Amino acid sequence: RSPPLLMLAAVYAMLPSVSSRLRQNCLLNAVTNLLKHRHHQYMRSVTIASDGCIHQSPDGDSTILFLSPTSWPEPNATAAGIRTTSLLDQKAMLTEQLMDEVMLFNPASNAQFYDVTNDSKLKQKAQETFFRELASIHRSDLVLVCSQTEMNLLEHSWNVLRSKLVPASFFCSEADLTTQTFPERTDFVTVGGFKHPPNVDSVKVLKHDIWPRIRKRLPNVNLHVYGAYPTHEIMSLRDEKSGFIVHGRVEDLDSALSKYRVLFAPLRYGAGIKGKIVDAWRLGTPVVTTPIGAEGMFSSGEDKEHTQWGGTISSNTDDFVKGAVQLYTNINAWNTAKESSALLLKKLFNGECNLLLLENSVRDAMAHLPQRRKADIVGGMMWHHSMRSTEFFSR
């Protein structure tokens, strides 16, 4: 009934050549140690009894445990003067039959463990990558995290100590509000390297779903697509008649972003802070994006309507098109988004503040390393496991 107990049984099940009695002795020692750790607050010693029961003395100083080679009956009170107490579960005593079942259990017989479909293989690979990354995080003394979203996930979902987490996303100067104004700018722009699959996907979405609808409402406006390593497929999307202009790599990104009125970032998947949005804000260019694109780019969780965000955030094509047209045609909405982006850039990505925080965090970690490692139980377990996991099997 206790998962750690079954895990111990499964470990010993890997040694089929060991005799039944020796297996039971090994498991007896394991259970004894488990009880010591789990119930240390009221027991100081474990003694072997001969009646196959678990007892506790009236004064609570010792617990008497015995696992019979043939059967493990439920606790009873036949021993005079001894109060009987089961530390595992009075209704769940391990039996020799259960031990044999555990030893014969083969995960390969369960199709859920070995689904050979491509989708399952991809999910398994993703899970292996996730566990490897999470293990590396737990082993580290300090973790530099790109946004508050990742900070919350690591702390609340995966139990990484808050004291190990330090925000380290971008280190920017303040936004340049002297860049070209609303009347001086024209057209839309999107940027992103094409070796990154989310950027490829977003350009295709723009071409086939979003841009045709915007072009109907703004027939004289163009969309300019920039990004390194464009494939033949991407370059073939260029269509000057529809105003969809694919340029490929740009030498001076700042000059390109500062002359267009609105940046598109219709990202449907991805993670982390989006550099294209930070660059756009730095140059006074409002952004139309998705919740994925805006992830981690809020000053607080209170702005649920995104009224203080540097552009618009849309979860569907209709809202995306509406937000794009509004920002492009409404000077007041455009100026408000530009001002909000400057405030967010200063609050979230201020280079001076973020670098100082990073420096102080590194110095504090070095100054208090022994205390920090003592408090980091999971990290200590990971290091112990990596050093000693195969020691006893090798014997």
Side-chain angles (χ1 to χ4, degrees), residues 121-137 139 158:
K121 289 181 179 179
L122 184 62
K123 290 180 179 178
Q124 183 179 9
K125 183 178 179 180
Q127 186 180 49
E128 290 174 355
T129 300
F130 165 73
F131 283 136
R132 183 172 65 251
E133 291 182 354
L134 188 59
S136 298
I137 288 172
R139 287 192 182 101
W158 302 315

Side-chain angles (χ1 to χ4, degrees), residues 101-393:
E101 290 178 8
V102 171
M103 293 189 66
L104 294 174
F105 175 70
N106 179 16
S109 63
N110 190 328
Q112 293 180 353
F113 283 87
Y114 292 95
D115 189 342
V116 295
T117 63
N118 290 332
D119 184 57
S120 176
K121 289 181 179 179
L122 184 62
K123 290 180 179 178
Q124 183 179 9
K125 183 178 179 180
Q127 186 180 49
E128 290 174 355
T129 300
F130 165 73
F131 283 136
R132 183 172 65 251
E133 291 182 354
L134 188 59
S136 298
I137 288 172
H138 275 296
R139 287 192 182 101
S140 300
D141 294 306
L142 205 63
V143 183
L144 309 185
V145 188
C146 66
S147 79
Q148 189 60 47
T149 300
E150 281 78 12
M151 296 268 287
N152 293 336
L153 282 172
L154 290 171
E155 180 182 6
H156 300 299
S157 298
W158 302 315
N159 301 318
V160 178
L161 290 180
R162 179 64 181 84
S163 58
K164 294 174 62 168
L165 305 177
V166 181
S169 51
F170 284 82
F171 308 93
C172 300
S173 57
E174 293 188 15
D176 183 4
L177 298 180
T178 65
T179 55
Q180 292 171 296
T181 62
F182 180 89
E184 296 171 325
R185 297 174 181 235
T186 58
D187 292 348
F188 294 95
V189 64
T190 187
V191 299
F194 292 107
K195 284 191 174 182
H196 190 47
N199 291 334
V200 175
D201 177 75
S202 69
V203 168
K204 291 180 179 179
V205 169
L206 280 170
K207 170 66 176 180
H208 301 296
D209 300 328
I210 296 174
W211 182 245
R213 299 176 62 177
I214 295 176
R215 181 73 170 184
K216 285 183 180 180
R217 300 180 64 175
L218 302 171
N220 298 317
V221 177
N222 298 318
L223 169 59
H224 300 267
V225 180
Y226 294 96
Y229 308 106
T231 62
H232 175 74
E233 179 186 16
I234 294 296
M235 294 302 298
S236 67
L237 297 177
R238 181 183 179 97
D239 181 8
E240 295 190 15
K241 289 184 178 181
S242 66
F244 197 89
I245 314 300
V246 181
H247 297 279
R249 185 175 182 273
V250 60
E251 293 294 334
D252 187 349
L253 181 61
D254 285 9
S255 296
L257 289 179
S258 61
K259 68 182 180 181
Y260 298 115
R261 193 172 290 178
V262 177
L263 174 91
F264 286 158
L267 296 162
R268 299 196 295 180
Y269 62 101
I273 300 298
K274 310 308 182 292
K276 64 182 86 218
I277 297 180
V278 174
D279 286 333
W281 284 356
R282 184 172 51 83
L283 297 164
T285 307
V287 176
V288 182
T289 188
T290 61
I292 292 294
E295 183 181 278
M297 304 187 76
F298 298 93
S299 59
S300 70
E302 301 300 322
D303 187 19
K304 295 182 180 179
E305 300 298 324
H306 312 142
T307 56
Q308 299 175 359
W309 203 77
T312 63
I313 303 171
S314 307
S315 300
N316 57 69
T317 303
D318 291 340
D319 290 343
F320 195 98
V321 171
K322 181 180 178 180
V325 173
Q326 182 185 30
L327 275 179
Y328 194 86
T329 58
N330 189 321
I331 187 172
N332 292 328
W334 190 88
N335 284 329
T336 298
K338 180 178 180 179
E339 292 170 2
S340 297
S341 68
L343 292 175
L344 285 171
L345 191 73
K346 183 177 181 179
K347 185 169 185 177
L348 297 175
F349 310 117
N350 183 278
E352 184 177 350
C353 294
N354 286 356
L355 284 170
L356 181 61
L357 175 62
L358 177 58
E359 179 182 356
N360 290 340
S361 299
V362 173
R363 292 188 183 280
D364 181 78
M366 293 189 295
H368 303 95
L369 191 58
Q371 300 94 314
R372 293 167 66 96
R373 288 185 175 178
K374 185 176 181 180
D376 187 7
I377 302 300
V378 176
M381 290 169 55
M382 297 300 298
W383 276 107
H384 175 82
H385 171 79
S386 65
M387 297 292 190
R388 299 171 60 85
S389 61
T390 60
E391 176 181 350
F392 296 100
F393 283 120

